[in-house]
Each structure stands twice: as structure tokens, then as C-alpha cells.
Amino acid sequence: MKASLTWMNEYVPVDMNRPAQELADELTQAGIPVEEVETVDPGLKKIFTGKITEITKHPDADKLQVCQVACLDTDGTPITKQIITAATNVRVGQIVPVAYHKSRLADGTEIKKGKLRGLPSEGMFCSVAELGISKELVVPEEAEGIYILPADTPIGMDIRDVLMMNDTVYEFELTPNRADCFSMVGLSREFAVLTNQKAVLPEITVDENGEAIDGKVQVTIADGDLCSRFAARLVTGVVVAPSPMWLQNRLRNSGIRPINNVVDVTNYVMLELGQPMHAYDYAHVKGHSLTARRANEGEVLKTLDGTDRELTTDMLVIADEQRAVGVAGVMGGYDSEVTNATTDVLLEAAVFNGASIRRTARALGMRSEASGRFERGVNPEYSIMAINRAAQLLQQLCPEAKVAKGVVDVYPNPAVPTTVTTTADAINAYLGTDIDEQRMVDILTTLSFAVTRSNGSMVISVPSWRGDVTVMPDIAEEVARIYGYDNIKVTTPWAALNSGVLSERKQMTKTIAHTLANNGLSEMITFSFMHKDSLAKLMIPEGDVRYKAVQILNPISEEYPVMRTTLVPSILDAAVRNRAQKNHDIWAFETAAVYEEAADKDSLPTERYMAVGFMTGRADEAQWSVAARQTDFYDVKGVVEAVLAALRVENYTLTTTDEPYYHPGVSAAYKVDGVTIATLGELHPQVAKNYDLEGKCYLFEINISALLETVRSQLQYTPISKFPGITRDLAIVAPKSVSAETIQQIILANGGDKLESAYVFDVYEGEHIAEGFRSLAYTIGFRSTEGTLTDADVDEPIQAIINALAEKDCKLR
């Protein structure tokens, strides 16, 4: 929001001799932050208005014209200057900016008199660019050539006065809750209270000198959840023309391009009162009726910028009897816009649902000054004031215009005023201050709050434009910011502090993160949103529960419309970005929640906590004598089992997994009591191709929520035996249908109480091994705390193992 101090003077006197930054600092301290103090004057010097009285061709140059210009000398004496120009848009009778001898343009260029092809030229005419005006703030025909000023502009005026360049503009970075300050009137209240003055609102009177509006205009609200108030006025006999310079200057200094008097009036009222408005060509509104309704499926509207917009059913439009004539709160329609041929204007002032307007503006890529105000909230009590103000200004600019008697106003559920009851003691206790009650009343009254006293309490009526004030702490904030935060004594608040502890889930997440980091993985944090095509790229079949994602009401991008139901797409996207930066060695992980849709609409979504890891590239650094080793399946398996060991999860089984994004032959799942607690494996080749990931890529997922439900062993001390152990190697020929995990479980179950360890160290298939079989070699260790074991001590458990294996058609090789 930009605010001109010259314009602000209309509502509250501003000391223009006071340093602008000083007042800006006071506003910022009071919670109305000024982001930038901008001086409009770009440094122009000796540029005045002049009137072209004669134009002749240059005798020695086809493209040059010799102009005689009526000007005033620096002492006010009428003089005629000869200016030679190549501009093609100059005409006799025009008022133009004339740069005198030794003048200075916006870019610092100094202009001096001289000769062009033998004839003297006493200066130059100026374009908008040379005056420091952005081409985006003028209509296209003014952007090129000499800037032609209105015909009633006096001769000899300093161009800085003509263009209101002797002005200072504050650019505010307002918080969304202060919607009231997105207007000059709203800001004037803040200026007034900080300078101990009273803001004066514009006097709004409308001469309803036209016919009655009854029967000429009809307004309807079809979707009351998206539009709470809809008002309209009819102004006839309007002559569309450029706005006077004072109006253009105020709009330009506020960052808005002047267009014509009708459109400029609606923008002016929006800036003044904070109520966005729209003007329709009454003749092009079919049936002379306007309806606020949701768009029809596939409905297309050509907006003012000439673009065909395809609308969806969650977007609010303003429609006549036949079709949509505007996207509500965002942009009007091309077919009903005000043009130079317009004579009758239908003014609209409405209040729309902020969230709906924001979603629509983002979806269509059409953010505007109007949509920004609707998003933050518009005061419905100002709708009639705004539409009357617009009619008043149109009458001033077009004396021949007639305003129809009456306003069409649809306001089915008027807003109920907010009242807060509190005491000065409660506010002081909340702020830690000792402010007198009368001082509080004075502050609140200056801010337009109505305060009455009742039984020792203050009953505070909140003005309609302060929708952000609803409870006592809001009142306390108003008192504090005007009283001055610097005036509040700094104290240390008393608090009963208890030693904090991590929840079991947070402690487990911390253990997992530390274990993964200790094993060489880097932690990353990604957004909690999921791309609409993510699950398809992972080859997850439609109908999977992960497609039932939580929809985001206000997504940061239409490409990411839902909360993620799996962490896998996030880490794969991160891997793709790393590969693009030539980082091919990636060991990374993330711990975060995934979100699942609730069983019923009244319940909150379910959050399930997961850890995911991605591993590819080199597993270690190359040495001068040893080549770098590439990451493989067993690196991933080792990392996952290190995590399970850190969590003391021991009673798991290792089985195959049917997750579609893993390679079916190089993947596994860890389960406890039939519940999957982790999966790992090589990324499926097709999924890797979908993400454009080359080479061997490995993935793992750990279900933290499932781990919280598992029984984990307790830490206990076990003394180390002082006696040596004994090992036996068994080469077992087993059918391929019998997994190594099954054999290991048989060994552990039949090895007796002296069994210390068992692990596979070799797998062989080929010569001397029957078809359908393979040889697995295990090292089995035994140890006792009572003495040194002999071969005879382990013969019995070894035989028990062999016998149990035989039941699975396994035998010694």
C-alpha cells in the first residue's frame, strides 16, 4: 500500500517540514510498518509548461519541426521560445513540458540551448520517460512521443507542481490483519492518533438528479457463502474522457495507472475508502441485472486484458442474464467494459469471501489491488459509502451526468458489531504496565472505539472496520502500540518452569536421525506438499489408499494441491535437483509426517511419522591404490539394521515387499508381528526412468509410528565371558525356495543356550549343486561363561540344527 502525504493532508494535517523518516518511524513503532520513504521528484530542474502556438517544417531537415512556444520567463514575463523537435505527436494549441536552458531531466541529463541544422533551439519538449514517469503508469498513447498535458493546464507552471512531484510517498508493508489500513481513510486514523489530531473524512453527498433506479437495475446474490453484500448505482449521461491532472497524479503516486475518468474514479475510491469497485457499461449488461454466482463448469470469460479465462465451479463470477461479465473481486469482463462510447455506467460495490478471491486470483494468475484487499477483508459497512462517493466524483468530473435515485443493496445478513468488556486492571496485568484508565479511554476513543463504563468495567464497541479486534488482548495491543512500546518498562515475567522432556515419538525420531547421520547420511527438509503426478510416477496403482490425500485449500502452486501421503516423491525430487547440480554421490534422509484423510469430514487428518532415505553413488572415497566402491544393497540394509539396533528392535523378520517402486528382486521388508516397520531396496528401473535418475539408486523407508507400537528390548548388562569360544562352519545345500532368513531362524532356535552367533558368509550355485538348490555357508559361534567349550560340547546342538534343517529338505554339503 502506497500513501501520498500530499493526499493525506486532505484528511489529517501532515507537517511537511518535519523529516519524513521521523514520522515513518513512529508509524512503524505503532504497528503500521513503513517499508520505504519515497521522494517522487526524480531531480527535475527548470522544466515548465508551455503552449505551442505555431509549427513549421525545418527548411533543411524533413523529420524536424520548428515550434514556437508561449512560455513564461523565470520572472513571470511572457516570452516565446523556439523549440525544434522530431516528435510527430505535437500540434498547435497543445500544452507541453518544456525543458529550458540549463534544465535537468530525470536521468540527470542537462539540456542547453543550441542549434539544429542551422536554426536555434532554446530547449526541448519532454516525454514521460524524461520526466521520470514509468511507462507502466500512463496509457499506451502517452508512453511514446511528447507528453501532452491537459488543455486547461496554466502556462509557466513548474512541471513538478503540475505532476504533484513535490510529494513524499510512504510504502507500507502491512500485516494481513490490518485490512483497514489498506486505504487512505484507514491510514489517516493512524496518522491522527500519532500526531494528536482528528482525522476528517470526506463529505459525501450525492445529487440524485436522475430517474428512479427501480426497474432499471436488478442485483441478486446466488451464493451467499461467497458474497455477503452486493450494491449497485446507475449514473447516466457520462462523458468518458481523461481524468483531471489532480486525479491522475494521486493514482500515479499510489502506483496505479490512470485510464479514464470512470475507471479512475473506481480506483480512487478503492484507495480512499478501501472498497474495491467495478464499473460496467450499462448498455452491455444483458437484462440490466447482475448476479453473484459460482461459475458454470467450463465457462469461459474474456477479461479486460483480452484473455479468455476458463473458469471452474469454485470461482465466483458476476453475471448478467446471459453470461459472466466479470471475475468477482479480480477483473471485469471485456464485453462490458467502459469505453469512450459509454454513456451510462453501472457501479458495483460488493463484499466477497477473501479465501475464495485469493484462490481464484492465484488459479488465474491475476493478482490485483482489488483482489489483495478482498483477500484481507473488506468492511461491509463502507459499501454504500463507497458507491455514493464514486457517484459524487463522477458528477464532479461530468457535470452533465445524472445519478439515478436510490441504491440497489442486497445485504441479507448484516454484520453484528463486536463488543469487548474488560477492565483497566486486566489490560495492565496483561501488558505489565500501570497505564491510567482515562489514558486508555482516550487512546481507544481516538482510534474510533466507543467506550462506556459499567460496574467498574469498560464496555468497548469495536468499529466496523476493525475486524481483527475481538477479545481483550486485542484491545491491550491497541493501547500498547499507541502508548508506545518504548514506554513499557522491561521486566522479567514470573513463570513456574518445569524440566521439559521429549515425547517418545520425538525421542525415537531424534535417535533415528542421529543414527542415520552417524552412518554418513545427510538430513534434508522438504515441503509437506505432493505433486499431483507423484504417485503415478512411483507406479502406485490407482485405488491405493495413498491417493486419498488431504486437499490444500490455498496451495502454493496448482502443481502441488495436496498434502503428501508418502515421503518418497520428496526425496526423489531432491535427488533430481542434486543430480542437476552435478552431485552424484547422495546419501540423504528425511524424517517427517505424512497425512492421511480422516474417516469422516468432522475429524482431523491422521499424521503418520516416517523416515525415508536415498542412497546412490560412491560409498567411500577413492584412494591412490583402491578404487571407490559404489553403494549397493547391503549398504542400505546395514544402515536400516543400524537404526533398528539403536532402537533395540530385535524380534523382526526379513521378508519380501510388494511396494511397486522397488525392484522386485532387490528389495525387502522388516516386519514385527506381521506389521511392516521398514522397507528397503533398489529403485525400480521404470521409476528411476520416470525421475530421470541414472545408475543404481537405493531407497529405504522406516515407519516411526509403527515402531512406537512394537515391543523393544530393554537395555541390560550382560557380562563378557572370560573363556574362549568355539566356531563351526556349516555348508548347507538348501532348495532355493528356502530363504537364508529361514535357515538362520532354524539355527538360532536349535543351537542351544551356548549359541552366541550365526551368520552366512558364502552363497554358491553351480557345478556340483543340483538344479533348484544352492549352497549357503554359515559360521556358527558358541561360548560359555562357565568354562572353555570342547568339540563334544557343541556336537549335540550342531546335530540338532542339522536334524531341524533336514525337515526343510536341507542337508550338509
Side-chain angles (χ1 to χ4, degrees):
M1 171 70 189
K2 289 187 174 184
S4 156
L5 294 190
T6 301
W7 186 0
M8 182 60 66
N9 259 316
E10 285 203 359
Y11 314 107
V12 57
V14 178
D15 184 358
M16 302 303 286
N17 295 319
R18 181 186 183 187
Q21 188 62 53
E22 185 178 295
L23 178 56
D25 291 341
E26 284 189 24
L27 287 163
T28 301
Q29 186 70 12
I32 312 297
V34 179
E35 183 72 12
E36 185 177 354
V37 177
E38 176 187 340
T39 301
V40 178
D41 182 9
L44 302 180
K45 177 184 175 183
K46 294 186 69 174
I47 302 178
F48 301 93
T49 57
K51 183 176 183 179
I52 301 174
T53 58
E54 180 184 342
I55 299 177
T56 58
K57 287 186 64 63
H58 194 293
D60 295 325
D62 293 339
K63 295 184 178 181
L64 296 180
Q65 301 183 85
V66 180
C67 303
Q68 304 302 319
V69 186
C71 301
L72 294 181
D73 206 345
T74 53
D75 60 359
T77 305
I79 57 173
T80 298
K81 289 182 176 289
Q82 179 170 286
I83 306 292
I84 299 177
T85 180
T88 58
N89 66 323
V90 292
R91 304 288 185 272
V92 172
Q94 290 175 338
I95 308 295
V96 294
V98 183
Y100 286 19
H101 177 59
K102 292 188 177 181
S103 62
R104 184 172 60 239
L105 304 182
D107 62 359
T109 301
E110 187 174 287
I111 302 301
K112 297 181 179 180
K113 61 184 178 180
K115 288 187 176 182
L116 288 176
R117 293 293 183 94
L119 294 182
S121 180
E122 299 178 76
M124 65 173 282
F125 299 145
C126 298
S127 66
V128 292
E130 290 159 340
L131 296 174
I133 301 174
S134 170
K135 291 185 177 182
E136 295 179 355
L137 294 178
V138 295
V139 292
E141 53 268 28
E142 293 177 337
E144 305 299 332
I146 303 305
Y147 186 30
I148 309 302
L149 299 168
D152 59 353
T153 305
I155 296 173
M157 284 189 67
D158 191 315
I159 197 65
R160 294 173 298 179
D161 295 329
V162 175
L163 299 178
M164 208 168 90
M165 287 183 170
N166 296 317
D167 192 11
T168 300
V169 174
Y170 285 172
E171 184 167 359
F172 293 89
E173 190 68 29
L174 299 168
T175 52
N177 64 307
R178 292 307 306 269
D180 60 302
C181 288
F182 281 84
S183 68
M184 295 297 294
V185 165
L187 286 170
S188 72
R189 299 188 188 98
E190 302 295 328
F191 276 76
V193 73
L194 291 175
T195 56
N196 297 315
Q197 300 180 87
K198 184 176 178 60
V200 179
L201 297 183
E203 292 186 10
I204 302 176
T205 57
V206 181
D207 179 13
E208 294 182 329
N209 54 353
E211 298 178 0
I213 198 171
D214 295 340
K216 296 183 181 296
V217 176
Q218 182 178 354
V219 168
T220 307
I221 298 177
D223 290 285
D225 58 326
L226 300 183
C227 178
S228 58
R229 189 171 194 176
F230 197 173
R233 252 198 185 281
L234 178 61
V235 182
T236 61
V238 174
V239 177
V240 178
S243 297
M245 192 56 70
W246 68 266
L247 178 52
Q248 293 190 41
N249 290 336
R250 290 185 179 185
L251 292 180
R252 264 196 290 265
N253 287 0
S254 301
I256 292 180
R257 174 168 63 94
I259 297 175
N260 58 51
N261 51 3
V262 175
V263 176
D264 292 350
V265 161
T266 61
N267 284 331
Y268 182 89
V269 173
M270 176 184 68
L271 293 175
E272 184 178 52
L273 299 177
Q275 169 69 64
M277 299 184 63
H278 189 68
Y280 301 90
D281 187 325
Y282 178 72
H284 292 155
V285 176
K286 307 300 182 184
H288 299 155
S289 69
L290 295 175
T291 301
R293 63 164 173 82
R294 282 180 166 84
N296 299 320
E297 187 64 44
E299 190 168 10
V300 176
L301 169 67
K302 179 182 284 190
T303 48
L304 288 173
D305 57 3
T307 303
D308 289 332
R309 312 279 181 176
E310 186 171 347
L311 310 176
T312 59
T313 55
D314 60 344
M315 297 178 180
L316 185 70
V317 300
I318 305 301
D320 61 17
E321 283 188 349
Q322 298 181 6
R323 84 291 195 208
V325 293
V327 181
V330 181
M331 187 176 288
Y334 183 82
D335 294 335
S336 59
E337 72 170 324
V338 172
T339 66
N340 290 337
T342 300
T343 56
D344 300 334
V345 175
L346 182 58
L347 296 173
E348 165 217 305
V351 179
F352 303 121
N353 178 275
S356 170
I357 299 303
R358 180 173 176 82
R359 288 194 298 271
T360 299
R362 288 183 65 87
L364 298 177
M366 297 165 57
R367 299 294 296 276
S368 63
E369 290 278 350
S371 68
R373 284 168 172 77
F374 280 120
E375 290 170 14
R376 292 168 175 84
V378 170
N379 179 18
E381 302 306 313
Y382 270 19
S383 297
I384 299 302
M385 183 188 300
I387 208 167
N388 287 338
R389 178 63 164 160
Q392 176 192 27
L393 290 171
L394 281 178
Q395 282 186 317
Q396 291 177 6
L397 301 183
C398 303
E400 63 276 15
K402 295 185 180 297
V403 178
K405 294 182 176 67
V407 177
V408 180
D409 182 21
V410 179
Y411 193 17
N413 299 301
V416 178
T418 301
T419 301
V420 179
T421 301
T422 186
T423 64
D425 290 341
I427 293 174
N428 278 322
Y430 186 80
L431 296 175
T433 55
D434 188 21
I435 305 173
D436 182 72
E437 180 181 295
Q438 187 56 48
R439 174 66 173 136
M440 294 183 186
V441 172
D442 292 341
I443 290 173
L444 294 171
T445 303
T446 307
L447 290 170
S448 300
F449 290 79
V451 184
T452 57
R453 293 179 174 88
S454 176
N455 298 323
S457 297
M458 294 188 295
V459 181
I460 303 166
S461 297
V462 181
S464 61
W465 56 85
R466 291 303 302 274
D468 59 310
V469 177
T470 56
V471 291
M472 182 278 289
D474 297 330
I475 297 293
E477 181 183 355
E478 293 302 299
V479 172
R481 71 185 185 84
I482 302 303
Y483 178 73
Y485 294 114
D486 289 342
N487 296 324
I488 299 176
K489 184 179 178 181
V490 177
T491 58
T492 302
W494 178 90
L497 301 178
N498 296 317
S499 177
V501 295
L502 293 176
S503 66
E504 185 181 8
R505 175 184 63 78
K506 290 184 177 179
Q507 183 59 58
M508 178 178 286
T509 302
K510 182 179 179 181
T511 300
I512 292 172
H514 284 185
T515 304
L516 293 173
N518 290 338
N519 279 270
L521 281 79
S522 300
E523 186 172 11
M524 63 173 58
I525 300 174
T526 61
F527 286 122
S528 299
F529 317 127
M530 187 166 66
H531 193 281
K532 58 186 179 181
D533 299 329
S534 292
L535 299 182
K537 291 173 71 175
L538 293 178
M539 301 197 306
I540 296 176
E542 292 187 15
D544 188 284
V545 68
R546 282 167 286 196
Y547 278 93
K548 295 181 179 179
V550 179
Q551 298 290 323
I552 303 172
L553 295 179
N554 185 25
I556 60 171
S557 166
E558 293 302 313
E559 295 296 304
Y560 292 86
V562 296
M563 302 297 288
R564 60 186 173 189
T565 55
T566 170
L567 300 183
V568 175
S570 299
I571 203 162
L572 293 183
D573 288 336
V576 170
R577 288 192 293 273
N578 272 268
R579 285 282 184 88
Q581 299 298 321
K582 305 301 181 183
N583 180 17
H584 296 284
D585 304 320
I586 307 170
W587 280 32
F589 75 94
E590 180 177 15
T591 57
V594 295
Y595 305 87
E596 298 168 350
E597 201 173 49
D600 58 87
K601 293 183 178 180
D602 296 328
S603 301
L604 293 174
T606 302
E607 294 185 29
R608 188 161 48 86
Y609 293 88
M610 301 286 293
V612 65
F614 180 85
M615 301 170 65
T616 189
R618 294 176 296 179
D620 54 21
E621 294 292 334
Q623 303 296 327
W624 70 272
S625 60
V626 181
R629 183 178 63 81
Q630 295 296 306
T631 301
D632 60 23
F633 176 84
Y634 296 102
D635 288 311
V636 186
K637 183 173 180 289
V639 166
V640 173
E641 291 186 354
V643 170
L644 298 180
L647 297 175
R648 305 188 305 281
V649 179
E650 299 175 350
N651 56 332
Y652 58 79
T653 57
L654 195 61
T655 64
T656 58
T657 179
D658 57 359
E659 285 289 11
Y661 42 83
Y662 287 120
H663 192 300
V666 193
S667 56
Y670 291 84
K671 293 186 177 182
V672 174
D673 298 329
V675 177
T676 300
I677 58 172
T679 59
L680 60 89
E682 182 183 335
L683 197 62
H684 193 290
Q686 184 57 50
V687 175
K689 184 177 180 181
N690 292 343
Y691 279 89
D692 197 22
L693 290 169
E694 298 178 355
K696 297 285 187 179
C697 299
Y698 298 91
L699 193 71
F700 66 81
E701 290 181 277
I702 300 173
N703 190 331
I704 298 174
S705 295
L707 280 170
L708 289 169
E709 304 298 324
T710 62
V711 178
R712 298 184 295 283
S713 64
Q714 298 298 314
L715 285 175
Q716 58 183 15
Y717 169 71
T718 302
I720 299 173
S721 175
K722 61 182 179 180
F723 302 104
I726 188 171
T727 61
R728 290 283 182 89
D729 291 343
L730 297 182
I732 301 164
V733 178
K736 291 183 177 180
S737 59
V738 179
S739 67
E741 174 69 15
T742 300
I743 296 174
Q744 178 129 343
Q745 293 301 322
I746 291 174
I747 294 173
L748 295 175
N750 294 276
D753 59 353
K754 302 295 189 295
L755 179 65
E756 184 180 50
S757 62
Y759 59 88
V760 63
F761 68 86
D762 185 56
V763 180
Y764 172 73
E765 297 180 41
E767 190 177 358
H768 305 304
I769 301 297
E771 184 71 25
F773 287 78
R774 59 181 175 172
S775 173
L776 297 98
Y778 285 82
T779 292
I780 304 173
F782 297 88
R783 190 186 301 269
S784 172
T785 59
E786 299 172 355
T788 302
L789 296 177
T790 64
D791 287 343
D793 292 327
V794 300
D795 284 344
E796 184 177 343
I798 289 293
Q799 189 59 49
I801 291 171
I802 293 172
N803 293 339
L805 289 171
E807 296 178 6
K808 293 290 186 179
D809 198 19
C810 302
K811 58 184 179 180
L812 291 179
R813 183 175 174 186

